[in-house]
Amino acid sequence: MVSKEQFYDELRKALEDGEARYYRNLVYIERSDYMDVLKEVINVFLSFKKDPSVAYGFIPWATGSKERMKEIKQYFSKFDDIDYANAEYYLGNTYDLVILDVVDNFQPINIGRLTDLARGGGLVIIYTNDLIKDKVFRSSIIRNGLIDDIYERRFKRKLLEHEGIFIIDNENYIVRPFSGKIEAKPEKKIPKNPIMPKEIHELSLSGDENRVIEAFSYMLGGGKRVLVLTAARGRGKSAATGLSVAGIIEKLRKRKEKSIKILVTAPSILSASQVMLFIKTGLEALGEKFNVKVSDTGNIKLIRGDEFKVEYVPPDVALEEEGDLLVVDEAAALGVNYIDLALRIWRKIVLVTTVHGYEGSSKAFLRYLRRLMENRHVRVKWITMEQPLRYSIGDPIEKWLYDTLLLDAEPLEPPSEITTINYEDVDKRELFENDDKLRAIYGIMVSAHYRNNPDDLMIMADGVHHSIKAMYTNNGIYIGACQIAEEGELSDSMIEMALKGGTFDGDLIPDRILKHVRIKDFAKLKGWRIVRIAVVPELQDKGFGSQLLTMIYNEAKEKNIDWVGSAFMSDPKVLNFWIKNGFIPVHISPKKNEKLGDYPVAVIKPISDKAKKIVDIAAYALKEKLLNTLHDVYFNINPEIARLLLLGAKVHKNISISPVMLDKVISFLQGVSPYESAADGIHMLAIKYFWDAERNWSLLKDEEIALIAKVIQGKPWSYVSAILETNRSQVYELIYSAVAQLMSKYYSLTADSKVGLTLDNVMSSQHYD
């Protein structure tokens, strides 16, 4: 601790050093007179930096927050007030000073997003009266009036452990000036004889960007090609991608006679805005003439020249279009399942995504992607950007941020031999005080789940209804981990609110059952929702995940829990894991999650008798909903997901098919009637097959997918051919083979059966009783 005078003297020195060496400093204020202290810190910064650009994060609707913002705004001429809810709109910006008002809300994702906006030589200020009391996000974690403060304790400890941080807390003034080494500020490095246009290279800000721009020339080669570009936040990947696409257009125009068509897709038009903006910038530098159309939100959605078109389209639309190149920005957010479909349809694809980001894709996405590329036998070029643009390598605030939010947590390497497995109900308070153990356990979770969010760690730590289970080997190495949330035992008022469309934090699975199955009894039961379960990458697909799941289920049974379940974004491999372990699909959202790009799914393994009865009813309702609406509500669902849900919901229903339809199907098998003429009968056969939970035989997987995609969903032949990686005639053969088997199994009818019906044949059938 130092005196007030010493504190501000040290801060001035740190700011000067930060400017000279291009790194950032941070001031944390937690005092009842926070506004007075904040103004003092601002005055110190203004004495160092005249007329700075400022980003100010806050919750505008909270009482007194706008007044605080306006009071601070008077100090500056370049001032962006940022509603935390809209912070993603500003992620491409850079500021000299970033001020975070956490009086009303302390939320990790806001800390991550806005801290990253500060440039080298700049300052981040976080201010509050109290880190714990009366916080919006914290109140969402409360259950039965209880919540812990484990996360906040660790956050404060990390402030004290890192350099470049200055703390004003109650009467204490604490200085931690940065004394480490910093690499030189990034500079552009234009190749001597570049393949890509020199005008594009001139626009780059770093050698890393120049390297990426040149690497994009790989996409000019022949055949099917994929380029994967990954980087942490603030590395300039969107800029490099946009500039490179402009260069690709220039190169293709010289070799192609027809017009060039490039599509850009992302979870939202906002996500793709920086790529589209830099395409425009690159084309301007090349002297191209073009027109631009913008969306209602002001984002570029179309760039059209005489011989080229670049257009942003939603992810689903991109799978139905053709062109010279598909660029997928924030690819991890759309999921491997989406990318798998895109790879089957497009010949040239660029995948751009964040790793170690505060929206969190982690290295797990790359592992899934590599496996996918190997299975598809696709030529791939992998590029990674390391150099931050806003500040130098070695920046102390980036180091603090990554450590505090665990953005780069990694699991330990498992032992070569595993003789025994131990199960642990982890003490959370002890865990969050032991960084090595926390990194090992949380690292397992994020290494296997590429959709992670810094808020997840706070929910896990502070939620009294959240627990952590772990699995470790004979030598103490953690190889598996699971986060569980207690759900259920809802009050009558909460049940009524859910039934009337209201929402509340937590109790995700009871809420879905109430809204979609309508059985109130389920909400009174006590359940464990598995938020995430994971095994270290080296031991995946070896049964350890199933072993951990069995341990958890057995513990739940011993503690008289009614059910164990999970909810997640639909993915064939993940869904198959749950079904294989006896979990029953009970719900799929009627809408895709816009940010994550997939349909949320819920599965349950019931324990109590009452839970078993309700789960059977829920599974029946799910299968009925899917088979009735796959052509409509779920038209865009991956047929493989639909297949797993239908087969996993093991409930039975007898389906009667009229003799008229069966006769038309025989005619189809004989080659007399085309598919279109017998489609209604074939459709009914497919419905009968997927409702049949009593059969001891199955069609081939590709036959089942063909029935779902073409016969039930009504997808175009070209789409079905693409997802099955075959041609139309082979898809037709799959459907023919499936229909022949169904007719034989259910009705002992074949292509040799006689066609034509008498009135007595029709009227005597049970179908017309």
Side-chain angles (χ1 to χ4, degrees), residues 418-434:
I418 299 174
T419 56
T420 58
I421 295 292
N422 302 286
Y423 179 66
E424 179 182 355
D425 187 357
V426 180
D427 182 319
K428 288 199 297 183
R429 192 166 290 277
E430 182 272 329
L431 176 67
F432 276 79
E433 291 173 356
N434 183 333

Side-chain angles (χ1 to χ4, degrees), residues 245 262-266 272 275-276 279 310-314 318 325-329:
V245 169
I262 294 176
L263 296 187
V264 177
T265 193
V275 169
M276 293 295 286
I279 293 173
V310 184
E311 183 178 10
Y312 167 81
V313 296
L325 178 68
L326 173 65
V327 179
V328 184
D329 199 11

Side-chain angles (χ1 to χ4, degrees), residues 211 232 298 743:
R211 178 175 58 85
M743 289 288 280

Side-chain angles (χ1 to χ4, degrees), residues 506-523:
D507 296 287
L508 191 154
I509 291 178
D511 178 71
R512 300 303 183 269
I513 296 296
L514 283 171
K515 284 184 169 65
H516 296 275
V517 188
R518 317 300 293 177
I519 299 176
K520 296 192 289 184
D521 305 59
F522 187 83

